[in-house]
């Protein structure tokens, strides 16, 4: 049998950020890991279930949820956004909030909502009509990651996983821009820039690398 020569499609630096590397596994399901000039291991598509990738995915979805909450607050006065919740969800949020108050916690009401609540509020506030489908797909990924379930057992699921990570980033960018516009409308004197780090910002330079797998 003819041996396949090494080329760039089979190699990856141990310092390559995971967020940039994971999509490469869709085309080539394994890579040899280089540290300097030495081959020190191999990563495969099954490694996307390891903790570093799960943490990356969860951080990205959490960032999206925080951005959703930020936009809701900037588009409404006080807690008027609760009118967009159905009665069942409104009651659950209220009960959870009251329970926390009895325990001497006093969080903003938006913080006791779940991802699905923020999704529904934004949809009823008139966010892009494609958001319902996209947010439901992202929420399913969030649940799989949070509950240690598998989410990329084959090539098709891996491709879907990569698409959902990219989709979450797209919505973070879009909602961040919408929040900026909403803030400017309230106060023309305040100039905001789009977020870039985890505390309300884009995950980028601090991403874990291939070396963490």
């Amino acid at each position: 049998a003819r041996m396949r020569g090494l080329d760039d499609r089979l190699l990856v630096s141990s310092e390559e950020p995971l967020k940039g590397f994971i999509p490469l596994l869709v085309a080539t399901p394994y890579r040899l890991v280089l540290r300097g000039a030495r081959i020190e291991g191999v990563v495969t598509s099954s490694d996307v279930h390891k903790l570093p990738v799960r943490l990356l995915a969860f951080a990205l979805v959490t960032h999206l949820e925080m951005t959703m909450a930020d936009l809701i607050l900037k588009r409404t006065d006080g807690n008027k956004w609760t009118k967009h919740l159905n009665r069942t969800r409104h009651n659950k949020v209220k009960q959870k909030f009251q329970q926390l108050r009895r325990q001497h916690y006093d969080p903003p009401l938006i913080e006791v909502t779940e991802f699905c609540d923020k999704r529904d509020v934004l949809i009823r506030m008139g966010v892009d009509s494609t958001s319902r489908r996209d947010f439901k797909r992202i929420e399913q990924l969030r649940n799989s990651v949070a509950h240690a379930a598998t989410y990329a057992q084959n090539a098709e699921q891996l491709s879907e996983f990569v698409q959902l990570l990219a989709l979450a980033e797209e919505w973070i960018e879009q909602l961040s821009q919408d929040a900026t516009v909403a803030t400017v409308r309230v106060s023309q004197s305040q100039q905001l820039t789009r977020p870039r780090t985890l505390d309300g910002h884009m995950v980028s330079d601090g991403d874990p690398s291939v070396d963490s797998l």
Side-chain angles (χ1 to χ4, degrees):
R2 184 178 177 181
M3 295 184 65
R4 180 177 178 181
L6 288 178
D7 58 38
D8 290 345
R9 292 173 296 177
L10 297 177
L11 304 174
V12 63
S13 168
S14 63
E15 298 179 356
E16 178 74 18
L18 284 180
K19 195 165 60 174
F21 169 67
I22 294 170
L24 301 180
L25 289 172
V26 175
T28 307
Y30 62 90
R31 295 278 178 121
L32 299 177
V33 180
L34 292 178
R35 185 186 298 276
R38 297 178 55 186
I39 295 176
E40 290 210 346
V42 59
V43 288
T44 70
S45 56
S46 64
D47 289 323
V48 300
H49 291 112
K50 289 186 175 180
L51 185 58
V53 179
R54 289 182 180 274
L55 290 174
L56 174 64
F58 195 79
L60 197 59
V61 177
T62 300
H63 184 187
L64 172 58
E65 188 169 0
M66 291 168 63
T67 306
M68 293 164 72
D70 185 48
L71 178 57
I72 290 170
L73 294 178
K74 287 177 177 175
R75 281 195 172 184
T76 56
D77 295 326
N79 292 325
K80 291 182 179 179
W81 53 267
T82 57
K83 68 182 181 182
H84 297 294
L85 295 172
N86 63 43
R87 179 174 298 180
T88 299
R89 290 306 309 165
H90 185 279
N91 289 338
K92 285 185 177 297
V93 168
K94 184 177 179 180
Q95 290 170 6
K96 186 175 181 180
F97 181 76
Q98 291 173 341
Q99 181 179 3
L100 289 171
R101 291 290 296 272
R102 287 193 294 269
Q103 296 172 356
H104 306 292
Y105 293 104
D106 189 22
L109 188 60
I110 192 71
E111 290 187 7
V112 302
T113 61
E114 297 182 7
F115 188 97
C116 62
D117 298 319
K118 300 178 184 73
R119 175 199 69 206
D120 291 344
V121 168
L122 284 176
I123 289 170
R124 289 167 185 148
M125 289 173 65
V127 172
D128 191 306
S129 59
T130 63
S131 62
R132 179 182 295 275
R133 180 183 68 253
D134 290 349
F135 288 163
K136 283 188 175 182
R137 291 172 64 200
I138 293 170
E139 185 179 10
Q140 289 174 352
L141 171 63
R142 175 196 176 280
N143 293 339
S144 295
V145 171
H147 299 295
T150 55
Y151 43 77
Q153 292 180 310
N154 53 48
E156 183 179 357
Q157 290 180 356
L158 176 61
S159 180
E160 171 74 0
F161 175 66
V162 170
Q163 290 176 25
L164 289 177
L165 294 184
L167 189 62
E169 285 198 283
E170 291 173 10
W171 274 110
I172 289 170
E173 182 174 355
Q174 178 61 53
L175 297 182
S176 296
Q177 291 175 349
D178 291 348
T180 298
V181 170
T183 301
V184 169
R185 286 175 178 171
V186 172
S187 176
Q188 291 293 333
S189 63
Q190 185 176 13
Q191 297 182 354
L192 300 179
T193 57
R194 194 170 61 195
R196 290 186 57 101
T197 58
L198 236 188
D199 51 345
H201 310 280
M202 293 294 290
V203 181
S204 55
D205 298 339
D207 292 347
S209 66
V210 170
D211 197 36
S212 64
L213 295 178

